[in-house]
Amino acid sequence: MKTRAAVLRDMGKDWEITELDLDPPKAGEVLVRFVAAGLCHSDDHLRTGDIPVRYPIVGGHEGAGIVEETGTGVSRLKPGDHVVCSFLPVCGHCRFCARGMTNLCDLGALFVDNCLPDGTFRFHADGEDFGQMCLLGTFSQRSVVSEHSCVKIDDDLPLETVALVGCGVPTGWGTAVNAGGVRPGDTTVVYGIGGVGINAVQGAAFAGARNVIAVDQLANKAEAAARLGATHTAADADTAQEIVTEVTRGVGADQALITVGVVTEEVIAAAFAAIRKRGTVVITGLAGPGKKSIQLPSFELTLFEKRIQGALFGGGNPFDEIPRLLELYRSGRLKLDELVTIRYQLEDVNQGYRDMLDGRNVRGLLIHAH
Ligand SMILES: NC(=O)c1ccc[n+]([C@@H]2O[C@H](COP(=O)([O-])OP(=O)(O)OC[C@H]3O[C@@H](n4cnc5c(N)ncnc54)[C@H](O)[C@@H]3O)[C@@H](O)[C@H]2O)c1
Ligand SMILES: [Zn+2]
Ligand SMILES: [Zn+2]
C-alpha cells in the first residue's frame, strides 16, 4: 500500500512530504487511517536533535483515526474501530507495566530506532526503512502500529479534536494532577503555555488550585490560559515570582510546572525558587540529552525538602487516562476544541512548525486528506 507522509531524512533538515510503501500489519498490529495529527513540539526536537533518533523517520505521535485492518492475534480491535493513539505503547507485562507504571513500559526502549516491537519497519522507500515517531507516525495518512499503542474510543467522538488526547492533553493535565499532585487551595505556576502547558493550566484549575499562574512571554498564550483556568498571567518568571510571593504571603508555590518548548537552566532555577518548603517542581518539557540543564543549590533542596520530579505522559497510565479525559470532554468539563489554533494540510507541516516556533499556536493540527 502507498501512503503520503511527512518525514525527516536527517537532523536539521525540514520536513519532506513523500510517498512511502506501507507493509500490511503483522501479528499484534493494526493498519490505521489517520484523520488528524497534532503538531507537538517533540517532533521538532527530532529535527533539532534534542531527541536523538535514527533517520529517516515518519513524524507525528499525536493522532486519532480508524482501524482498517488487523493482523493475526489482535483481539481488542477490529476494522472500523475508532482509536486515539497513545504516544507511549503499553505492553501490560513488563515489570513497569506490572507495577502500574505503564507510562514507563519497557517498549519505550524502541524510541531510538522507532521500529515496531518485533524489531522491523513497516515504512519503506527506495530500499530504505523509515522509523515511525513513538512507534506511530501520525504524519502519515496511514500507518501500521502495535495494538499496544491504540486506545479504542466511542464512534461519536470527533476524531479531529480527540487526536490531542494522544499526547498534549494527558501530558499537561497529568503534569499538574499526577506528577504535581495539585490539591484544592494550592498555588500552581505553569511555565510555557503551548499544547502541553495549556492542559497543565486546565488540570491545575480542575484539581482545585486557588491560584494558577501562567507564565509565557506571548500575549496570545496568556489570553488562552486565562480563558482555560489561569487566575494570573505573567510575561516572565520574575513577574510570576512577585505574584507567587504576594498570593502566598511569602510562603511560595505548591507546584511549579515546566512545560516550555526547550527547557533551560534559567527556567528550572526560577521554578525551584518559586516553590515552598516541600513544594514540587515538575519538569515535563525537554532539553537535549547532552545538556546539563539543572544547576541548583542542594542546600535549599535539603533544608527546605524541595522536590524535583520528571514526568513522562504526565506520570499517568495511558489506557486509564485517555478514556477518562474523553469522558471529561464529553461532559463539557475539559476543553479540547478550544485548544486548536490553526488546521493545516499535510503539505503545510513546515509552516505549522514555523507557526509553533513563532508562538502563533496553542496547538496546530494536521488534517489528513484521503
Ligand atoms: N514529558 C512528556 O511526556 C512530554 C510530552 C509531550 C511534550 N513534551 C515536551 O513539552 C514541551 C512543550 O511542548 P509543547 O508542544 O507544548 O510546546 P510549544 O512550543 O507549543 O509551547 C511551548 C511554550 O513555551 C513558551 N516558552 C518558551 N520558553 C519559555 C520560558 N522561558 N518561560 C515561559 N514560557 C516559555 C513558548 O512561548 C510556548 O508558548 C516540549 O519540550 C515537548 O517536547 C514532553
Ligand atoms: Zn507530544
Ligand atoms: Zn510494558
Side-chain angles (χ1 to χ4, degrees), residues 5-276:
V7 305
L8 288 173
R9 292 198 180 266
D10 211 343
M11 195 194 301
K13 297 261 173 67
D14 276 349
W15 294 96
E16 182 186 315
I17 310 301
T18 190
E19 191 172 77
L20 300 174
D21 294 314
L22 179 61
D23 296 339
K26 292 192 191 175
E29 299 170 2
V30 300
L31 170 68
V32 176
R33 173 169 68 83
F34 285 119
V35 170
L39 300 181
C40 178
H41 202 119
S42 298
D43 293 282
D44 194 59
H45 291 321
L46 303 184
R47 187 183 62 82
T48 62
D50 278 334
I51 298 180
V53 287
R54 168 196 174 279
Y55 301 97
I57 183 167
V58 178
H61 65 282
E62 192 176 82
I66 302 173
V67 174
E68 289 192 325
E69 196 182 325
T70 57
T72 54
V74 174
S75 57
R76 282 191 303 104
L77 298 165
K78 58 181 187 313
D81 280 354
H82 291 200
V83 291
V84 166
C85 285
S86 164
F87 86 84
L88 294 175
V90 174
C91 81
H93 300 289
C94 71
R95 61 186 287 196
F96 292 92
C97 282
R99 295 187 75 174
M101 301 184 274
T102 62
N103 61 324
L104 301 178
C105 177
D106 281 344
L107 288 176
L110 298 166
F111 280 12
V112 179
D113 283 348
N114 290 287
C115 56
L116 286 186
D118 77 346
T120 65
F121 296 88
R122 299 295 164 272
F123 288 105
H124 318 274
D126 304 322
E128 209 173 7
D129 294 331
F130 286 66
Q132 42 195 109
M133 170 63 158
C134 294
L135 282 52
L136 295 178
T138 61
F139 296 171
S140 176
Q141 294 169 304
R142 287 184 170 77
S143 182
V144 168
V145 303
S146 167
E147 64 174 329
H148 299 318
S149 303
C150 294
V151 178
K152 180 180 157 24
I153 62 165
D154 293 337
D155 290 350
D156 64 329
L157 289 166
L159 287 165
E160 281 194 15
T161 307
V162 302
L164 306 183
V165 185
C167 175
V169 177
T171 297
W173 175 275
T175 294
V177 174
N178 302 321
V182 174
R183 299 184 48 180
D186 277 357
T187 292
T188 308
V189 192
V190 182
Y191 299 86
I193 309 299
V196 175
I198 192 72
N199 291 296
V201 168
Q202 289 207 83
F206 197 90
R210 181 170 60 94
N211 301 298
V212 180
I213 301 153
V215 193
D216 203 299
Q217 59 271 42
L218 302 166
N220 58 326
K221 304 303 184 104
E223 283 161 25
R227 277 197 305 275
L228 291 172
T231 56
H232 302 75
T233 58
D236 54 59
D238 289 343
T239 311
Q241 179 68 61
E242 284 169 21
I243 297 169
V244 167
T245 303
E246 189 190 325
V247 300
T248 66
R249 302 172 192 235
V251 172
D254 299 281
Q255 302 85 12
L257 314 175
I258 301 180
T259 51
V260 302
V262 180
V263 170
T264 60
E265 191 182 322
E266 289 74 25
V267 72
I268 294 176
F272 189 75
I275 56 170
R276 61 162 165 80

